[in-house]
Amino acid sequence: MKRTFLLTAIFALTSVFAVAQRLPQLATPENYKITLAPDFDKDNFAGEETIQIRVLKPTSEIVLNSAEIEFQSATITSGRATQTAKVTLDKTKEMATLVFEKAIQPGAASLHIKYTGILNDELRGLYLGKDHEGRKYAVTQFESTDARRAFPSFDEPDYKATFDLTVIADKGLSAISNEKIASDTPGPGDAKHTVKFATTAKMSSYLVALAVGQFEYVEGQADGIPIRVWGPPGSKKDGTYALEVAEQCMKYFNHYFGIKYPFDKLDMIGLPDFAAGAMENTGFITYREVILLIDDKKASVGLHQTVATVIAHEMAHQWFGDLVTMKWWDDIWLNEGFATWMENKAVAAWKPEWHLELDDAEGTTGTLGVDALKNTRPIHQAAETPAQIQELFDGIAYGKAASVLRMLEAYLGPETFRAGVDTYLKQHAYGNATADDFWKTLAQVSNKPVDQIMPTFVKQPGAPSISVQTQCTGDSNAVTLSQKRYFYDRSLFEQGSDELWQVPMCLKQDGGKGQKCVLLTKKQQTFTLPACGSWVVANAGATGFYRSGYTPEAIRAMGKTAETDLTPAERIFLLSDSWASVRVGEQQIGDYLALAEGLQTDRTRAVLEQMAGQVNYISDYLVTDTDRDAYEQWVRKLFSPIAKELGWTAKPGESDETKALRARIMGVLGHAGRDPEVIAEARKLTEVALKDPGAVDHTLAFTVFGLSAQNGDSALYDELMEHLQQKGSSLEDYYIYFQSISQFRDPKLLHKTLDFAVSPAVRSQDSLGLISAVMENPAGTRVAWDFVRAHWTDIAKVGGGFTSGEVVHATSAICDAGMRGEVQDFFSTHKVPTAERTLKQSLERMDYCVDLKSRQTPQLASWLEHQGASAGQY
Ligand SMILES: [Zn+2]
């Protein structure tokens, strides 16, 4: 699965609080024959299924997963005898027990069940969606535990079986599923047609998929595999870019994995109502419409990249996740980490000019931030209930797991790593495996201690900070590396803790004076480099999942020659490591700002993006009213020269990286720098784009609309609202307006935005994202938090009540001790089972922000004053 697009990190799908609930091991399924008949007048469906099972021991009952299903009849046939079952339902455990009078003997048997279910509006199970014209469609979203809402089943990932799906649909509606259509015949009756799909490969129930509705498609192929891109009527023209991406990825993966795409065809569909970003159902991937169907000529660079990387992510899952599936959800990180690691790699092979390897470095530094919390979790984490399983789909399962795999690939070398992956997939094709299976295979293939290294990153929470001390004697440099767990909590960090990592790392000195790769296995170890330099970088190549702790002198020295001696990815880490030292008080904020100044001739989009992120954070949380002017001046001095070079208009043939850089630089100048010229030009361009959405490059449009909103009045607000509710905008334009109405500073306008967020005008998939965006706007934090408390019953109901964890996550934007107390009090009586860890993390982040503000604000003031005095200005 791929997390949401505009929405923040947490992705939660259920709030059903339940006790440990695994099926008893009485029988296993071999084949399901399922007929589904959706009824769009009654918003329900009729179902009938025959499950061929293998009974494992004598039993008079069979237990299946089932939720919101009404049983009409259930029988079992074993040998020649058929018996009727008495069905008892356990709502809490989401199980149905079929009890038979006479015991069933081990061996083959078949269950026959007739039932009805509901087309719900909760974006899970077999649910009801509506397109832009209000036409209804039915579609599935089963991961993790919602196949049981569409058919009674052994709904755990290691009960793999084959599926024969049949759909009875209204005439004129398309039906799409995991397999090719085997037959499509008229009837029953005049108004229906019956679509039978071919038998699937052996697969897990959470990967079964179906869509029934009015859709159209564009078609292509790669390596002989048919590929179709579907969407609502009228969207066909917007499917060509996705088709091209899928064709490229198909070729790349067929080559990379050494196993040709293991299914018969690939369908992909963009859906107007969809909770996640996308879902990797076998042979039939479902997406949010905006992440699949785009105007290739007008869409922003960012959206092009998102569409490409999400498609690559879901397609990588066809091998890693679908062909080979984790045994249980505790290893979901192996699915998600692998697909996340692979998404940029596959797209980079097609579009090297996007430099997605730098986004990987940025992603790793972001994930290290999550792992700096006391309440982070190990990558491998036990989970039993649907709520616990759902909370595993977090930044650790995606980001940290991907970063750790990247480190491992760098350590083994790409070809050895690939050979290991290939062997692992061949060993477990159409079956299930665990992380240990993966390590063992990689250790065997590489002859390196992968099975020693990986558990230290997978089973322990947190990440090491590795401090670097050098001692030069003659022409050799003794480099002493010491590791301890990095915490934002300063006292915990100082104390140190017991974790010990085995860290593959590469060292590098300035001026090309020697590079060496080592394996750090102890708390402290000394390695020798063959020459002396003025500094040693501890994460050469920037592929390691750890922080490096340098002395302020070393950072200063690196800053001076960073552009020639360090790669862009290493510069991203240098900025991040320096900021991490500020967070724990080992450096002062002035040291960080001086480093930023040292990099001011850098023109790498990703490096400046990393810097701009911090500069904006400082502006939002650490700058007082007294220092505001001086800080703004400093920001302008730093970034204006770049803005002047770039100008506002794209030059002919300009690269996507330059377009993206322009948007970032104008953004930070307008936001943290409050540069009047930039703000005025942004407003001008906003007016132009409101009159003619095609007239302003979409890559820049997000920035100019955001800045205009930050400085906007009620007239602009009303204009944006009007555009937002007008039909016929492109989806990207819709989200530009949508995002903008969260960025105003006037609390009254923000209150209107919040009311709008919970109104029927906003699709439930977008509702909480908008509330969260207001909360993350420093001018809106208070207003949003008060709104959340006052409207909790409405908010908790959005999307059937399974996504409210997103709002819990958004409270981490609060940087105020009083409000922190309010959040703690409120959620102690308004529990969100899918966000228990998230709440602890949010409270922790608030603590650290308050602490950082109290320590660094005075330091920032004096640094700015000193700058002003020495520069003879301000
Ligand atoms: Zn995924």
mmCIF file of all heavy atoms in Angstrom, residues 22 156-159 204 324-332 335 424 428 431-435 437:
data_model
loop_
_atom_site.group_PDB
_atom_site.id
_atom_site.type_symbol
_atom_site.label_atom_id
_atom_site.label_comp_id
_atom_site.label_asym_id
_atom_site.label_seq_id
_atom_site.Cartn_x
_atom_site.Cartn_y
_atom_site.Cartn_z
ATOM 1 N N ARG A 22 -6.439 -14.405 16.051
ATOM 2 C CA ARG A 22 -5.971 -15.238 14.948
ATOM 3 C C ARG A 22 -6.938 -16.397 14.773
ATOM 4 O O ARG A 22 -7.555 -16.879 15.713
ATOM 5 C CB ARG A 22 -4.574 -15.782 15.271
ATOM 6 C CG ARG A 22 -3.534 -14.695 15.482
ATOM 7 C CD ARG A 22 -3.205 -13.975 14.203
ATOM 8 N NE ARG A 22 -2.413 -14.800 13.291
ATOM 9 C CZ ARG A 22 -1.091 -14.847 13.309
ATOM 10 N NH1 ARG A 22 -0.407 -14.105 14.156
ATOM 11 N NH2 ARG A 22 -0.434 -15.620 12.473
ATOM 12 N N GLU A 156 -6.141 -14.065 6.555
ATOM 13 C CA GLU A 156 -4.793 -13.855 7.094
ATOM 14 C C GLU A 156 -3.824 -14.110 5.938
ATOM 15 O O GLU A 156 -4.088 -14.973 5.105
ATOM 16 C CB GLU A 156 -4.521 -14.819 8.255
ATOM 17 C CG GLU A 156 -5.404 -14.524 9.462
ATOM 18 C CD GLU A 156 -5.138 -15.447 10.658
ATOM 19 O OE1 GLU A 156 -4.216 -16.290 10.579
ATOM 20 O OE2 GLU A 156 -5.857 -15.320 11.657
ATOM 21 N N PRO A 157 -2.694 -13.358 5.907
ATOM 22 C CA PRO A 157 -1.879 -13.375 4.675
ATOM 23 C C PRO A 157 -1.303 -14.740 4.305
ATOM 24 O O PRO A 157 -1.027 -14.978 3.130
ATOM 25 C CB PRO A 157 -0.760 -12.369 4.970
ATOM 26 C CG PRO A 157 -0.806 -12.104 6.437
ATOM 27 C CD PRO A 157 -2.201 -12.384 6.882
ATOM 28 N N ASP A 158 -1.103 -15.650 5.274
ATOM 29 C CA ASP A 158 -0.471 -16.907 4.849
ATOM 30 C C ASP A 158 -1.474 -17.994 4.467
ATOM 31 O O ASP A 158 -1.070 -19.101 4.135
ATOM 32 C CB ASP A 158 0.568 -17.408 5.862
ATOM 33 C CG ASP A 158 -0.057 -17.854 7.152
ATOM 34 O OD1 ASP A 158 -1.208 -17.444 7.422
ATOM 35 O OD2 ASP A 158 0.603 -18.602 7.897
ATOM 36 N N TYR A 159 -2.769 -17.676 4.479
ATOM 37 C CA TYR A 159 -3.741 -18.620 3.911
ATOM 38 C C TYR A 159 -3.908 -18.314 2.430
ATOM 39 O O TYR A 159 -4.920 -17.798 1.987
ATOM 40 C CB TYR A 159 -5.087 -18.502 4.614
ATOM 41 C CG TYR A 159 -5.124 -19.111 6.003
ATOM 42 C CD1 TYR A 159 -5.175 -18.305 7.139
ATOM 43 C CD2 TYR A 159 -5.121 -20.497 6.168
ATOM 44 C CE1 TYR A 159 -5.222 -18.870 8.414
ATOM 45 C CE2 TYR A 159 -5.164 -21.059 7.439
ATOM 46 C CZ TYR A 159 -5.212 -20.236 8.558
ATOM 47 O OH TYR A 159 -5.249 -20.795 9.808
ATOM 48 N N SER A 204 -2.855 -14.097 -1.375
ATOM 49 C CA SER A 204 -3.470 -13.786 -0.085
ATOM 50 C C SER A 204 -4.788 -13.049 -0.291
ATOM 51 O O SER A 204 -4.951 -12.310 -1.271
ATOM 52 C CB SER A 204 -2.543 -12.896 0.749
ATOM 53 O OG SER A 204 -1.285 -13.497 0.910
ATOM 54 N N VAL A 324 5.662 -13.036 -3.397
ATOM 55 C CA VAL A 324 6.139 -13.516 -2.094
ATOM 56 C C VAL A 324 5.549 -12.581 -1.030
ATOM 57 O O VAL A 324 5.744 -11.366 -1.101
ATOM 58 C CB VAL A 324 7.675 -13.503 -2.001
ATOM 59 C CG1 VAL A 324 8.131 -13.974 -0.625
ATOM 60 C CG2 VAL A 324 8.279 -14.383 -3.088
ATOM 61 N N THR A 325 4.844 -13.155 -0.077
ATOM 62 C CA THR A 325 4.099 -12.359 0.893
ATOM 63 C C THR A 325 4.628 -12.648 2.298
ATOM 64 O O THR A 325 5.052 -13.767 2.574
ATOM 65 C CB THR A 325 2.599 -12.737 0.824
ATOM 66 O OG1 THR A 325 2.198 -12.715 -0.546
ATOM 67 C CG2 THR A 325 1.734 -11.785 1.629
ATOM 68 N N MET A 326 4.603 -11.610 3.153
ATOM 69 C CA MET A 326 5.042 -11.866 4.534
ATOM 70 C C MET A 326 4.095 -12.871 5.187
ATOM 71 O O MET A 326 2.918 -12.916 4.879
ATOM 72 C CB MET A 326 5.126 -10.563 5.349
ATOM 73 C CG MET A 326 3.790 -9.944 5.714
ATOM 74 S SD MET A 326 3.129 -8.964 4.368
ATOM 75 C CE MET A 326 1.377 -9.127 4.662
ATOM 76 N N LYS A 327 4.649 -13.668 6.106
ATOM 77 C CA LYS A 327 3.838 -14.676 6.798
ATOM 78 C C LYS A 327 2.774 -13.994 7.646
ATOM 79 O O LYS A 327 1.643 -14.413 7.709
ATOM 80 C CB LYS A 327 4.741 -15.513 7.709
ATOM 81 C CG LYS A 327 4.891 -16.928 7.259
ATOM 82 C CD LYS A 327 5.531 -17.772 8.366
ATOM 83 C CE LYS A 327 5.549 -19.242 7.986
ATOM 84 N NZ LYS A 327 6.047 -19.555 6.661
ATOM 85 N N TRP A 328 3.178 -12.950 8.334
ATOM 86 C CA TRP A 328 2.245 -12.228 9.210
ATOM 87 C C TRP A 328 2.573 -10.742 9.154
ATOM 88 O O TRP A 328 3.645 -10.342 8.674
ATOM 89 C CB TRP A 328 2.293 -12.798 10.644
ATOM 90 C CG TRP A 328 1.340 -12.128 11.582
ATOM 91 C CD1 TRP A 328 1.672 -11.373 12.673
ATOM 92 C CD2 TRP A 328 -0.099 -12.129 11.508
ATOM 93 N NE1 TRP A 328 0.532 -10.897 13.286
ATOM 94 C CE2 TRP A 328 -0.574 -11.345 12.589
ATOM 95 C CE3 TRP A 328 -1.038 -12.689 10.626
ATOM 96 C CZ2 TRP A 328 -1.936 -11.118 12.808
ATOM 97 C CZ3 TRP A 328 -2.390 -12.464 10.849
ATOM 98 C CH2 TRP A 328 -2.824 -11.700 11.933
ATOM 99 N N TRP A 329 1.670 -9.934 9.661
ATOM 100 C CA TRP A 329 1.789 -8.487 9.540
ATOM 101 C C TRP A 329 2.994 -7.902 10.277
ATOM 102 O O TRP A 329 3.400 -6.775 9.988
ATOM 103 C CB TRP A 329 0.503 -7.812 10.026
ATOM 104 C CG TRP A 329 -0.673 -8.241 9.210
ATOM 105 C CD1 TRP A 329 -1.655 -9.111 9.590
ATOM 106 C CD2 TRP A 329 -0.972 -7.874 7.859
ATOM 107 N NE1 TRP A 329 -2.550 -9.297 8.558
ATOM 108 C CE2 TRP A 329 -2.169 -8.546 7.486
ATOM 109 C CE3 TRP A 329 -0.362 -7.038 6.931
ATOM 110 C CZ2 TRP A 329 -2.749 -8.406 6.228
ATOM 111 C CZ3 TRP A 329 -0.943 -6.897 5.675
ATOM 112 C CH2 TRP A 329 -2.121 -7.579 5.337
ATOM 113 N N ASP A 330 3.576 -8.652 11.209
ATOM 114 C CA ASP A 330 4.752 -8.124 11.914
ATOM 115 C C ASP A 330 5.926 -7.893 10.950
ATOM 116 O O ASP A 330 6.851 -7.148 11.264
ATOM 117 C CB ASP A 330 5.173 -9.044 13.084
ATOM 118 C CG ASP A 330 5.392 -10.482 12.658
ATOM 119 O OD1 ASP A 330 5.169 -10.814 11.465
ATOM 120 O OD2 ASP A 330 5.777 -11.299 13.519
ATOM 121 N N ASP A 331 5.874 -8.531 9.784
ATOM 122 C CA ASP A 331 6.920 -8.306 8.776
ATOM 123 C C ASP A 331 6.440 -7.421 7.620
ATOM 124 O O ASP A 331 7.049 -7.425 6.539
ATOM 125 C CB ASP A 331 7.419 -9.645 8.208
ATOM 126 C CG ASP A 331 8.553 -10.236 9.044
ATOM 127 O OD1 ASP A 331 9.301 -9.446 9.669
ATOM 128 O OD2 ASP A 331 8.694 -11.477 9.082
ATOM 129 N N ILE A 332 5.368 -6.655 7.820
ATOM 130 C CA ILE A 332 4.843 -5.806 6.739
ATOM 131 C C ILE A 332 5.909 -4.824 6.253
ATOM 132 O O ILE A 332 5.938 -4.415 5.094
ATOM 133 C CB ILE A 332 3.572 -5.030 7.182
ATOM 134 C CG1 ILE A 332 2.956 -4.268 6.013
ATOM 135 C CG2 ILE A 332 3.842 -4.078 8.321
ATOM 136 C CD1 ILE A 332 2.534 -5.124 4.857
ATOM 137 N N ASN A 335 7.618 -5.804 3.039
ATOM 138 C CA ASN A 335 6.854 -5.375 1.859
ATOM 139 C C ASN A 335 7.061 -3.892 1.590
ATOM 140 O O ASN A 335 7.422 -3.470 0.503
ATOM 141 C CB ASN A 335 5.344 -5.513 2.119
ATOM 142 C CG ASN A 335 4.800 -6.870 1.770
ATOM 143 O OD1 ASN A 335 5.562 -7.804 1.571
ATOM 144 N ND2 ASN A 335 3.489 -6.979 1.723
ATOM 145 N N TYR A 424 15.841 -15.128 -3.205
ATOM 146 C CA TYR A 424 14.770 -15.126 -2.206
ATOM 147 C C TYR A 424 13.403 -15.231 -2.872
ATOM 148 O O TYR A 424 12.544 -16.021 -2.466
ATOM 149 C CB TYR A 424 14.899 -13.848 -1.372
ATOM 150 C CG TYR A 424 13.677 -13.436 -0.585
ATOM 151 C CD1 TYR A 424 13.421 -13.979 0.674
ATOM 152 C CD2 TYR A 424 12.793 -12.478 -1.091
ATOM 153 C CE1 TYR A 424 12.300 -13.587 1.402
ATOM 154 C CE2 TYR A 424 11.681 -12.081 -0.371
ATOM 155 C CZ TYR A 424 11.427 -12.634 0.876
ATOM 156 O OH TYR A 424 10.326 -12.240 1.584
ATOM 157 N N HIS A 428 10.620 -18.503 -2.636
ATOM 158 C CA HIS A 428 9.331 -18.385 -1.948
ATOM 159 C C HIS A 428 8.180 -17.985 -2.860
ATOM 160 O O HIS A 428 7.129 -17.566 -2.381
ATOM 161 C CB HIS A 428 9.452 -17.374 -0.799
ATOM 162 C CG HIS A 428 10.515 -17.737 0.196
ATOM 163 N ND1 HIS A 428 10.323 -18.713 1.151
ATOM 164 C CD2 HIS A 428 11.784 -17.292 0.357
ATOM 165 C CE1 HIS A 428 11.429 -18.838 1.875
ATOM 166 N NE2 HIS A 428 12.339 -17.993 1.416
ATOM 167 N N GLY A 431 4.327 -18.130 -2.293
ATOM 168 C CA GLY A 431 4.228 -18.552 -0.893
ATOM 169 C C GLY A 431 4.450 -17.379 0.038
ATOM 170 O O GLY A 431 4.328 -16.217 -0.356
ATOM 171 N N ASN A 432 4.798 -17.698 1.290
ATOM 172 C CA ASN A 432 5.022 -16.673 2.314
ATOM 173 C C ASN A 432 6.418 -16.826 2.885
ATOM 174 O O ASN A 432 6.995 -17.911 2.854
ATOM 175 C CB ASN A 432 3.997 -16.817 3.440
ATOM 176 C CG ASN A 432 2.575 -16.604 2.956
ATOM 177 O OD1 ASN A 432 1.988 -17.466 2.316
ATOM 178 N ND2 ASN A 432 2.036 -15.440 3.229
ATOM 179 N N ALA A 433 6.946 -15.730 3.419
ATOM 180 C CA ALA A 433 8.294 -15.784 3.984
ATOM 181 C C ALA A 433 8.406 -14.772 5.119
ATOM 182 O O ALA A 433 7.536 -13.921 5.299
ATOM 183 C CB ALA A 433 9.319 -15.480 2.896
ATOM 184 N N THR A 434 9.498 -14.878 5.867
ATOM 185 C CA THR A 434 9.753 -13.939 6.960
ATOM 186 C C THR A 434 11.022 -13.146 6.649
ATOM 187 O O THR A 434 11.772 -13.483 5.740
ATOM 188 C CB THR A 434 9.990 -14.684 8.286
ATOM 189 O OG1 THR A 434 11.177 -15.474 8.132
ATOM 190 C CG2 THR A 434 8.813 -15.584 8.631
ATOM 191 N N ALA A 435 11.256 -12.130 7.475
ATOM 192 C CA ALA A 435 12.471 -11.335 7.303
ATOM 193 C C ALA A 435 13.706 -12.214 7.475
ATOM 194 O O ALA A 435 14.690 -12.052 6.754
ATOM 195 C CB ALA A 435 12.480 -10.200 8.307
ATOM 196 N N ASP A 437 14.120 -15.239 6.634
ATOM 197 C CA ASP A 437 14.379 -15.929 5.360
ATOM 198 C C ASP A 437 15.177 -15.028 4.426
ATOM 199 O O ASP A 437 16.092 -15.461 3.732
ATOM 200 C CB ASP A 437 13.059 -16.300 4.660
ATOM 201 C CG ASP A 437 12.254 -17.327 5.449
ATOM 202 O OD1 ASP A 437 12.876 -18.190 6.097
ATOM 203 O OD2 ASP A 437 11.006 -17.250 5.411
#
